[in-house]
Amino acid sequence: MVENLRFRDATLAKRVVEKIHNLASKEGTVKICHVCGTHEWTITHFGLRSLLPTNVEVIAGPGCPVCIVPASEIDEAIQLASKGMVITCFGDVLRVPGSKMSLLDAKAEGADVRVIYGVSDAVKMAEKEPNKEFVFFAIGFETTAPSTAVEVIKQPPENLSFLVSHRLIPPAMKLLVDMTDLSLNGFIAPGHVSTIIGVKPYEIFPKRYHMPTVVAGFEPLDVLFGVYMILKQLSEGKPCLENEYMRAVRWEGNVKAQELMRKVFEVVNGNWRGLGTIPSSTFKLRRKYENHDAHLKYGVKVEDGVDIQPGCKCHLVIIGKIKPTECPLFMKTCTPQKPVGACMVSIEGTCRIWAKA
Ligand code: SF4
């Protein structure tokens, strides 16, 4: 709600909302998609949807890096754990459902699964216990991939390998545009990811798809400005690429981080939970580093996982096709305490954000 903002922000927000209403009054239905869990948190927490005109809808796309990890990759981590490897991962990965169980279930059954706060923790553990084999389950978008790349390039200990599950945001946005039944009219591009990749990778959306695209920050005002800028582009009939988040995002992004990622990873097709294979959307370790690739080192590869449990609608929530409240399991059998689907696990998951609102 506007009332939740500081006085100066609230006054400005009211003026932006007024302008949004003016512009929207000349448009038909406008559907704007964001692809970031933090944007969804801001929008939901501050009740921004309630401030928008009824013909302007903001939907949440696949912006939660934990939610889109396919069950097959959770299964691979569990297989490795069952072979005696120590699995290291971030805390929010623990409860993501695999085909039959989560890493937390595997831990309860005796697997050595350890929560870490950074890749360097996994390096330290592997150095300290050279008689054990360690695997870092590397999850996240372009925001976290550079920190994995840093450790890979530093020649980690022999007994540490990487199960790389990093995913790239622009190819997922392209998938959404290609889903004609989603009928999108504009993108709010993610602030965090853009600090790394910059603004340029989104050029394709206005150029090829005539889709207004605005990189926006995470304050309520940033999001409102993002919506306003998209509506303005629509009203002028001039779709383009704009950067609302100039205080943090440079047009060229973080060139050093990009260079690091290029050195360590190659881009391959990747499977996303509930979405299937998205071309050129995943990182894989380059051949130079294959002695640290957990897939190759331990011969583990699960092709088909069960992404969606019976009754779960995560595959529709992930692309913003339905709201969490439209899933029959929402806050009945699926809760933050006992999640059924991946969207209820992470603090960036749409269902969890709505559950905690
Ligand atoms: Fe999946 Fe639970 Fe969300 Fe339903 S409420 S879509 S089961 S995470």
Side-chain angles (χ1 to χ4, degrees), residues 62-78 89-90 92-99 101 103 137-141 144 163-168 270-276 278 281-282 295 305-309 314 318 341-343 345-346:
C64 161
V66 174
C67 309
I68 51 86
V69 175
S72 58
E73 289 176 18
I74 303 290
D75 297 346
E76 286 171 359
I78 292 170
C89 62
F90 299 129
D92 51 0
V93 180
L94 271 187
R95 294 198 302 160
V96 178
S99 298
M101 62 164 76
L103 276 166
F137 194 5
I139 279 175
F141 293 130
T144 47
L163 188 60
V164 177
S165 189
H166 290 301
R167 296 289 189 273
L168 312 177
N271 187 19
W272 293 50
R273 183 178 292 256
L275 302 181
I278 304 184
S281 66
T282 301
H295 281 129
V306 180
D307 278 347
I308 304 299
Q309 300 301 323
C314 279
I318 284 172
C343 298
V345 174
S346 164

Side-chain angles (χ1 to χ4, degrees), residues 143 189-199 202 215-216 245 248-250 252-254:
T143 336
H192 295 322
V193 164
S194 306
T195 58
I196 303 295
I197 67 172
V199 182
Y202 308 113
V215 175
Y245 199 28
V249 173
R250 282 177 293 172
E252 71 282 8
N254 183 331

Side-chain angles (χ1 to χ4, degrees), residues 311-315 317 322 324 327-331 334-335 339-345 351:
C312 170
K313 303 285 181 205
C314 279
H315 56 301
V317 170
I322 67 165
C327 171
L329 309 189
F330 183 74
M331 296 311 277
C334 184
T335 63
V340 174
C343 298
M344 190 60 95
V345 174
C351 293

Side-chain angles (χ1 to χ4, degrees), residues 71-117:
S72 58
E73 289 176 18
I74 303 290
D75 297 346
E76 286 171 359
I78 292 170
Q79 257 192 33
L80 287 168
S82 72
K83 287 183 177 181
M85 320 302 160
V86 181
I87 304 298
T88 58
C89 62
F90 299 129
D92 51 0
V93 180
L94 271 187
R95 294 198 302 160
V96 178
S99 298
K100 293 200 181 111
M101 62 164 76
S102 65
L103 276 166
L104 188 63
D105 298 327
K107 188 175 168 66
E109 289 186 6
D112 196 346
V113 180
R114 304 183 193 176
V115 171
I116 55 172
Y117 298 98

Side-chain angles (χ1 to χ4, degrees), residues 2-257:
V2 167
E3 291 70 30
N4 289 348
L5 302 176
R6 285 169 296 159
F7 176 74
R8 196 178 58 86
D9 286 355
T11 311
L12 197 48
K14 275 181 188 159
R15 283 171 54 195
V16 180
V17 168
E18 219 174 88
K19 282 178 180 289
I20 288 174
H21 277 258
N22 280 342
L23 288 171
S25 66
K26 295 163 204 142
E27 300 290 332
T29 302
V30 177
K31 201 189 268 185
I32 297 169
C33 180
H34 73 75
V35 278
C36 176
T38 314
H39 276 148
E40 183 55 30
W41 186 89
T42 301
I43 291 165
T44 306
H45 182 79
F46 288 95
L48 299 187
R49 287 191 177 91
S50 67
L51 305 176
L52 299 178
T54 48
N55 62 326
V56 176
E57 190 186 359
V58 179
I59 64 167
C64 161
V66 174
C67 309
I68 51 86
V69 175
S72 58
E73 289 176 18
I74 303 290
D75 297 346
E76 286 171 359
I78 292 170
Q79 257 192 33
L80 287 168
S82 72
K83 287 183 177 181
M85 320 302 160
V86 181
I87 304 298
T88 58
C89 62
F90 299 129
D92 51 0
V93 180
L94 271 187
R95 294 198 302 160
V96 178
S99 298
K100 293 200 181 111
M101 62 164 76
S102 65
L103 276 166
L104 188 63
D105 298 327
K107 188 175 168 66
E109 289 186 6
D112 196 346
V113 180
R114 304 183 193 176
V115 171
I116 55 172
Y117 298 98
V119 200
S120 57
D121 293 344
V123 174
K124 282 180 208 144
M125 284 177 187
E127 282 170 346
K128 213 170 159 191
E129 297 172 73
N131 53 335
K132 287 187 177 166
E133 292 291 310
F134 284 78
V135 174
F136 173 59
F137 194 5
I139 279 175
F141 293 130
E142 295 93 327
T143 336
T144 47
S147 57
T148 304
V150 167
E151 294 302 337
V152 172
I153 221 162
K154 279 200 308 199
Q155 293 185 328
E158 290 275 304
N159 61 331
L160 174 64
S161 54
F162 296 81
L163 188 60
V164 177
S165 189
H166 290 301
R167 296 289 189 273
L168 312 177
I169 279 287
M173 291 168 71
K174 187 173 172 303
L175 177 92
L176 298 179
V177 185
D178 289 338
M179 289 179 171
T180 45
D181 55 334
L182 265 187
S183 311
L184 297 182
N185 303 102
F187 274 127
I188 295 179
H192 295 322
V193 164
S194 306
T195 58
I196 303 295
I197 67 172
V199 182
K200 211 172 164 13
Y202 308 113
E203 270 175 355
I204 183 180
F205 300 112
K207 273 192 184 155
R208 191 185 297 174
Y209 300 102
H210 311 291
M211 183 80 67
T213 303
V214 176
V215 175
F218 302 105
E219 296 294 326
L221 266 175
D222 289 316
V223 178
L224 289 174
F225 271 126
V227 172
Y228 164 71
M229 289 160 85
I230 287 170
L231 284 168
K232 191 156 183 292
Q233 290 184 32
L234 287 172
S235 75
E236 290 169 355
K238 287 181 189 160
C240 62
L241 176 57
E242 292 183 281
N243 182 10
E244 184 278 336
Y245 199 28
M246 273 192 278
R247 63 189 188 276
V249 173
R250 282 177 293 172
W251 195 264
E252 71 282 8
N254 183 331
V255 178
K256 275 192 181 160

